[in-house]
Amino acid sequence: MNNIPTMTKNLLIVNILAFIATYVLERSGINLTSLLGLHFFLASDFRIYQFITYMFLHGGFTHILFNMFALWMFGSVIERVWGPKKFLFYYIVCGVGAGIMQELVQYADYSIQGMAAYQYVNAGGVQMTTDTYINLWTTIGASGAVYGILLAFGMIFPNERLFIIPFPFPIKAKWLIVGYIAIELFSAMSGPGDGVAHMAHLGGMLFGFLLIRYWRNHPDSSQRFSRSHGQEFFDNMKRKFDERQRNSRMKAEPTHQQRETDEEYNARKRQNQEEIDAILDKIRKSGYDSLTKEEKQKLFDQSRKS
């Protein structure tokens, strides 16, 4: 856990604790899914805060296992590129966007079927009113936010090759994302019944795509998340590097070597940071594979120094 970035680690912990609490409190008669899950906005038990709380609940071990594995695998990378603040903001936006998409789909279904059709629905001989029926629509899970993270990885590192079971060969990230979108669209169009909110998954990716496009078209808008275009990970690297440089300068230097002045040191430090910023900006615009061999080596050397 020590190698997992701070925000990704905290999200993993909160999701796991919420999963455990769901089963523990259920024994005491407290249903967290009913209280914190996202209900249809026309239902009597809908609350606005559920757009946030629903994404920290899960319906089973397989559900949370897939989401947390993807969050750890891809979220760790994205947080190191963007920094914790920007990463968390993106995560929440994708999760809320997925919830909004799910609400729109449910409303469309509700409208197409017609309110009159829901007045009495026979379910095993038990008749339910409209309010009782729509109260059954409850959405939970971090899948919308996680799918947004998958999209971000594919857009930042489009040509990065990944090994995905069951394929015995690597797949570029951009084609993996296209495949996920196609599968979710096909599953959504095949009709309801599998208990999976496919349109919510697509909603998380849609809101993530729009947010990334906005940041790319307005790079200054993301500077508030950190000092170096959201690259807090590399800010931390630079800080450690600077501390090590200051410590080394305090030690005695060989007599044949001229001591570096403060002005020379600051100029060299600025030049090095400008080169790193340029490399990071190139990754943000064109992906990691667009870097030259020298640029990759410089980025690798800088990461080792941290």
Side-chain angles (χ1 to χ4, degrees):
M1 291 288 284
N2 292 333
N3 295 327
I4 303 177
T6 302
M7 198 56 65
T8 301
K9 178 163 54 177
N10 289 339
L11 288 171
L12 290 170
I13 292 173
V14 171
N15 276 276
I16 293 173
L17 290 178
F19 181 73
I20 296 173
T22 299
Y23 288 92
V24 172
L25 294 178
E26 187 177 17
R27 298 180 179 181
S28 303
I30 301 175
N31 191 332
L32 284 185
T33 299
S34 179
L35 292 172
L36 305 179
L38 179 60
H39 296 276
F40 183 45
F41 70 93
L42 293 179
S44 59
D45 48 3
F46 168 76
R47 303 291 184 272
I48 192 67
Y49 61 76
Q50 293 168 355
F51 277 109
I52 299 294
T53 57
Y54 91 96
M55 68 181 79
F56 296 100
L57 302 177
H58 291 84
F61 181 74
T62 304
H63 190 197
I64 191 173
L65 179 63
F66 170 81
N67 282 340
M68 295 304 99
F69 176 77
L71 174 59
W72 164 75
M73 182 175 181
F74 297 100
S76 297
V77 177
I78 300 303
E79 182 179 348
R80 288 191 175 101
V81 174
W82 281 346
K85 293 180 182 179
K86 186 174 181 178
F87 172 75
L88 179 62
F89 181 79
Y90 178 85
Y91 183 91
I92 296 297
V93 167
C94 290
V96 172
I100 292 174
M101 178 65 76
Q102 183 67 5
E103 292 288 305
L104 293 175
V105 170
Q106 290 176 345
Y107 182 72
D109 186 38
Y110 180 75
S111 300
I112 292 173
Q113 296 294 333
M115 290 185 291
Y118 286 106
Q119 291 299 320
Y120 295 97
V121 180
N122 189 290
V126 178
Q127 290 185 328
M128 297 185 293
T129 64
T130 302
D131 190 62
T132 302
Y133 187 82
I134 62 178
N135 278 337
L136 297 177
W137 291 351
T138 306
T139 304
I140 58 174
S143 300
V146 169
Y147 270 75
I149 291 175
L150 291 176
L151 177 80
F153 185 89
M155 292 183 69
I156 297 174
F157 306 103
N159 296 314
E160 189 72 19
R161 289 174 171 81
L162 304 171
F163 281 96
I164 303 296
I165 298 175
F167 301 106
F169 51 85
I171 301 176
K172 288 186 177 182
K174 60 183 178 183
W175 301 125
L176 176 66
I177 300 306
V178 171
Y180 269 119
I181 293 175
I183 292 173
E184 291 300 320
L185 277 174
F186 176 79
S187 301
M189 298 304 174
S190 298
D194 60 357
V196 179
H198 298 288
M199 291 305 295
H201 298 170
L202 293 173
M205 300 179 86
L206 173 62
F207 274 72
F209 173 80
L210 294 176
L211 184 56
I212 292 175
R213 291 291 298 177
Y214 177 80
W215 280 339
R216 287 183 175 180
N217 293 332
H218 304 83
D220 293 340
S221 65
S222 64
Q223 288 185 4
R224 63 180 178 272
F225 293 102
S226 81
R227 293 184 299 277
S228 181
H229 303 289
Q231 311 297 339
E232 292 190 7
F233 170 62
F234 292 99
D235 280 347
N236 185 50
M237 288 168 42
K238 183 176 74 70
R239 184 171 57 254
K240 292 180 179 179
F241 174 77
D242 291 344
E243 291 176 355
R244 185 161 46 252
Q245 288 294 103
R246 284 194 297 269
N247 291 336
S248 64
R249 291 178 62 202
M250 294 175 63
K251 298 179 181 179
E253 297 181 351
T255 55
H256 65 276
Q257 185 177 5
Q258 184 177 0
R259 186 179 183 86
E260 186 180 40
T261 66
D262 290 339
E263 184 178 353
E264 292 172 339
Y265 168 75
N266 291 331
R268 178 172 53 81
K269 183 176 67 172
R270 282 195 302 271
Q271 181 181 1
N272 183 68
Q273 184 58 39
E274 288 173 357
E275 292 175 356
I276 293 298
D277 286 344
I279 294 174
L280 295 176
D281 190 57
K282 189 175 181 179
I283 293 176
R284 180 175 60 82
K285 292 180 178 178
S286 307
Y288 179 79
D289 284 352
S290 66
L291 300 182
T292 64
K293 182 178 180 181
E294 292 74 15
E295 289 171 334
K296 291 180 180 179
Q297 185 62 45
K298 185 173 184 62
L299 195 62
F300 176 73
D301 293 340
Q302 182 76 353
S303 64
R304 291 185 62 185
K305 293 175 183 178
S306 63

